[in-house]
Amino acid sequence: MDGAAPELVAAIGPEGRLLAALGAFLFAPPRSPAAVLLALVLAAGLLVLLRRVILRSRPAGERLFRLAGRLEMGALALLLLAMIVLSALQILLRNLFGIGLLWVDPLLRYATLWIGFLGAAVAAAEGRHIQIDVFTHVLPPGVKRIAGRLVNLAAATTTAILFTAAYRHLATEYEYDTRVLLELPSWLLLAVIPLGLALLTYRFLDRAITLPAPALSPAVPLATPAAADGNGSPAP
Amino acid sequence: MILIVFAIVLLALLGMPLFTVLAVIALLFFRGAGIDTAAVIIEMNRLATAPMLIAIPLFTFAGYLFAEAGSPRRLVRFSRAVLGWVPGGLALVALVACAVFTAFTGASGVTIIAMGGILMPALLAERYGERFTLGLLTTTGSLGLLFPPSLPVILYAYVAQVSVDKLFLAGLLPGLLLILMLGLYAARAARDVPRHRFTTGEVLAAARGAAWELPLPLAVLGGIYSGIVTITEAAALTALYALVVEVFIYHDITIRALPRIMKESTVLVGGILIILAAALGLTNYLIDAEVPYAIFDWMQRFVQSKLLFLLMLNLFLLVVGCLMDIFSALIVVVPLIVPIAQGYGVDLLHLGIIFLVNLEIGYSTPPVGLNLFIASFRFRRPVTELYHASLPFLLILLIALFIITYVPGLTLFLTGPAAPAAAG
């Protein structure tokens, strides 16, 4: 009933070497939360610094980050496209042939999770997270800048702590070797949670340091200039 | 302790992303209760167990496609051909077109941006008052939130665990009431505006122009109201249909533009889902700690009647509605209010419609309603001017809100009371 998918899974999947190596690399020696936190903060901080240095030095660097933005955009677009195609296919199969692929529905649910966390990371890059906008309209510009740094720093701290918790959770899933759909390990399907949180930490840290102008509102993408240039990260 | 609370409140008011605020509170609570902080993450996994949530990225994408394509123009032309001859015709067109558009895009800011640019000059050219026009376009931005396939309805159904199909059905009459009341006001305000003649030719031409898009709202509304398709099926079909029609039939959207539009819609989806992810842990903790029940017990000392509770709920939600956007308000406030409302014997479907209409009004309520700022940005007018302009519309919406709140029959006439069914 599942067609070609199981063979594909068998190649890269649970018994496949690629996935096993990745799992072992990520989780095999148990790591302390402090070490995980330190690694994340170092990586994010390094990336922020690197980005500033590269962006300032030459146009090639700018192109590099534009490429990264394109990749991010491409990944999200692919996920969404896959969701549209798979869900439509499922309806077609169900209504025309009375059959359904068992792995499609759970896969769609995980795709939603992936879109959610990766989309949230891009939202952070563009300063379009939903927030309570009470003071921001009335503060004087100087205070607003300081507040902006403070708020982004606090957000980065939060996502960093969440990241360590997410890593710990995934390590447990790895240890118990939980399989979800198509024999895929649950840690792989849930990996977007720490991945998204790591990206969020990097973006918030970046904004705390570079502090670009805030977007008008999360609800109006059509109006923000950042939306038009096709590049996820507004250049400083 | 007080210092921490103060710091969190301050950071939240200074614009710390709401999901991080919720996460911090959840982390502190879990820590205080001696629960492993990984519990916050385990709650996040639950996002991948809810079939209903699949509809959110799919509908959002379809809405963004329509917003960037020529659909607003075609929709306005068609509604104008059909409704233009009525007194206040163009204003009515604006109401209906905005309602349909908001139902599909979910976030009302998009409606003001996409529709405002077409409707504003048209209304002014027909000599509708400027203040009337501004008020109309600002407040109608949120009209239509009650009709399928509106995202806030789906979110409420998920959070409150009611049937989403029933909730859409429950919203039908209240939604029509809102449009009717604003339509009557528009007709009255437009007494001096010249009317159009109704010509079959223009109706046909406009219908031909929008031939591929017109069936969609009807199909989605009909399919969901009748229960032929589930909300996720409707979402999948709408997204695919929108993609094919706008890219390959109308050629309004180039394939090159597609990844950007897809990314845009996922950014909105991410913003909503991550709040949901962060809030799941927090609200679950609060419910486990029986906080809503404690509030209910405490409230019962002062508020005995259901009517008084509903009045307080209205006032509370108006404040919430102008502080928070509708998605986060639904996600954070609904789980805590549901047990209290049940204590007072309020039906959960009725509660949902009260919530949505309330928050819809909060969107345009001074001083911080989001619609006011978006309209101010879009029409290049000072926000204070929009406060004035939207005032009469707000009054009408408030009257409608009170009717909806105190006449539960309006909501429950078509559905009957909510069964305590699990969400689908």
Side-chain angles (χ1 to χ4, degrees):
Chain A
M1 188 153 79
D2 285 348
E7 284 95 83
L8 186 75
V9 173
I12 55 165
E15 266 60 60
R17 248 175 295 163
L18 200 64
L19 209 55
L22 185 64
F25 169 71
L26 289 173
F27 307 111
R31 296 175 175 93
S32 75
V36 172
L37 187 63
L38 192 68
L40 174 74
V41 172
L42 277 181
L46 205 64
L47 205 54
V48 171
L49 276 181
L50 205 65
R51 175 153 180 267
R52 299 198 79 188
V53 171
I54 292 178
L55 277 179
R56 205 171 287 166
S57 60
R58 51 175 188 264
E62 216 169 287
R63 211 174 301 148
L64 189 74
F65 278 102
R66 192 161 304 152
L67 186 73
R70 286 249 171 84
L71 277 177
E72 204 171 42
M73 181 164 82
L76 281 169
L78 268 180
L79 267 170
L80 192 59
L81 195 66
M83 273 189 81
I84 296 170
V85 172
L86 275 178
S87 54
L89 180 79
Q90 183 83 330
I91 295 170
L92 204 72
L93 287 176
R94 196 173 292 150
N95 289 298
L96 291 187
F97 306 102
I99 53 169
L101 301 177
L102 282 178
W103 49 272
V104 169
D105 288 344
L107 197 64
L108 287 174
R109 296 203 294 269
Y110 280 102
T112 309
L113 186 76
W114 278 71
I115 284 181
F117 273 86
L118 293 181
V122 180
E126 296 178 4
R128 279 166 46 193
H129 267 291
I130 294 171
Q131 60 200 36
I132 299 176
D133 259 330
V134 188
F135 284 167
T136 31
H137 297 289
V138 291
L139 287 178
V143 182
K144 210 163 162 175
R145 262 198 304 279
I146 298 171
R149 284 186 201 282
L150 204 66
V151 154
N152 277 302
L153 198 64
T157 315
T158 313
T159 49
I161 294 170
L162 284 176
F163 172 84
T164 56
Y167 175 84
R168 220 145 28 87
H169 174 57
L170 241 61
T172 334
E173 295 279 308
Y174 176 78
E175 202 182 320
Y176 289 115
D177 198 22
T178 323
R179 297 296 155 98
V180 188
L181 62 132
L182 294 180
E183 285 297 297
L184 285 171
S186 68
W187 65 261
L188 184 68
L189 290 163
L190 293 174
V192 73
I193 297 181
L195 179 66
L197 288 168
L199 287 171
L200 279 164
T201 309
Y202 155 60
R203 293 300 192 182
F204 284 133
L205 202 60
D206 189 48
R207 289 181 74 80
I209 293 168
T210 49
L211 203 74
L216 175 74
S217 119
V220 279
L222 306 172
T224 54
D229 64 2
N231 175 11
S233 37
Chain B
M1 186 59 209
I2 294 168
L3 209 63
I4 294 175
V5 172
F6 180 74
I8 292 175
V9 170
L10 188 68
L11 283 170
L13 292 181
L14 286 176
M16 184 163 161
L18 194 62
F19 86 92
T20 55
V21 176
L22 296 171
V24 166
I25 301 173
L27 285 171
L28 287 175
F29 272 139
F30 277 93
R31 228 204 150 111
I35 305 168
D36 189 340
T37 45
V40 182
I41 305 295
I42 294 171
E43 296 289 342
M44 291 184 175
N45 296 354
R46 276 179 33 210
L47 283 188
T49 58
M52 201 194 284
L53 296 180
I54 298 171
I56 293 181
L58 295 172
F59 273 134
T60 308
F61 169 60
Y64 273 40
L65 266 183
F66 290 132
E68 294 223 355
S71 322
R73 201 168 24 80
R74 289 189 287 268
L75 181 62
V76 169
R77 186 184 170 197
F78 178 75
S79 345
R80 203 170 174 176
V82 175
L83 291 171
W85 58 276
V86 192
L90 191 61
L92 205 59
V93 167
L95 283 173
V96 172
C98 284
V100 172
F101 203 72
T102 304
F104 271 86
T105 52
S108 65
V110 180
T111 304
I112 297 179
I113 299 286
M115 292 300 232
I118 302 162
L119 288 169
M120 178 89 176
L123 284 161
L124 290 181
E126 292 207 355
R127 277 188 254 130
Y128 282 87
E130 190 173 304
R131 182 171 280 184
F132 171 83
T133 306
L134 281 173
L136 180 78
L137 292 178
T138 307
T139 44
T140 52
S142 54
L143 217 62
L145 278 186
L146 295 178
F147 301 116
S150 138
L151 290 185
V153 172
I154 302 175
L155 263 184
Y156 176 89
Y158 171 72
V159 177
Q161 302 273 297
V162 295
S163 142
V164 67
D165 308 328
K166 269 195 175 176
L167 190 60
F168 273 125
L169 204 57
L172 182 62
L173 292 181
L176 290 177
L177 177 75
L178 290 178
I179 292 184
L180 182 76
M181 287 182 66
L182 285 180
L184 286 177
Y185 175 68
R188 219 184 78 82
R191 273 165 307 181
D192 308 328
V193 172
R195 292 194 217 166
H196 286 273
R197 278 238 313 277
F198 180 84
T199 58
T200 329
E202 170 61 11
V203 173
L204 287 179
R208 247 199 312 280
W212 289 98
E213 289 163 331
L214 284 179
L216 188 65
L218 298 178
V220 170
L221 260 70
I224 291 175
Y225 282 144
S226 66
I228 295 175
V229 290
T230 66
I231 189 79
T232 40
E233 286 172 336
L237 293 176
T238 304
L240 185 68
Y241 186 82
L243 184 67
V244 172
V245 164
E246 302 303 343
V247 175
F248 298 107
I249 293 178
Y250 283 119
H251 298 287
D252 279 350
I253 308 273
T254 60
I255 292 188
R256 275 180 62 85
L258 221 44
R260 179 182 57 78
I261 298 174
M262 288 180 145
K263 188 209 75 180
E264 284 304 319
S265 52
T266 56
V267 167
L268 180 71
V269 172
I272 297 170
L273 286 185
I274 194 116
I275 292 180
L276 192 55
L280 280 173
L282 179 60
T283 52
N284 251 30
Y285 173 82
L286 292 177
I287 288 167
D288 280 347
E290 307 206 322
V291 171
Y293 305 98
I295 297 176
F296 174 63
D297 284 343
W298 179 79
M299 265 183 79
Q300 269 207 314
R301 275 191 276 162
F302 310 99
V303 182
Q304 268 99 27
S305 78
K306 180 173 155 185
L307 284 184
L308 191 57
F309 166 72
L310 287 176
L311 182 71
M312 289 184 61
L313 181 72
N314 277 332
L315 293 176
F316 170 70
L317 287 178
L318 283 177
V319 176
V320 169
C322 64
L323 286 180
M324 280 183 179
D325 78 299
I326 197 159
F327 299 115
S328 19
L330 282 172
I331 294 165
V332 179
V333 180
V334 167
L336 305 179
I337 294 284
V338 159
I340 300 176
Q342 276 177 323
Y344 281 103
V346 179
D347 187 271
L348 285 190
L349 291 175
H350 187 211
L351 181 73
I353 304 302
I354 295 173
F355 249 94
L356 293 165
V357 175
N358 240 313
L359 296 174
E360 190 174 313
I361 295 173
Y363 250 128
S364 322
T365 310
V368 286
L370 185 61
N371 273 2
L372 297 165
F373 288 100
I374 296 173
S376 145
F377 174 86
R378 183 68 183 87
F379 304 127
R380 296 172 203 280
R381 297 295 152 88
V383 180
T384 42
E385 198 180 326
L386 291 163
Y387 290 172
H388 279 280
S390 52
L391 217 55
F393 293 91
L394 279 178
L395 274 177
I396 295 171
L397 288 175
L398 279 176
I399 296 171
L401 171 69
F402 282 100
I403 297 176
I404 291 166
T405 308
Y406 299 111
V407 187
L410 190 68
T411 308
L412 303 174
F413 176 67
L414 293 173
T415 58

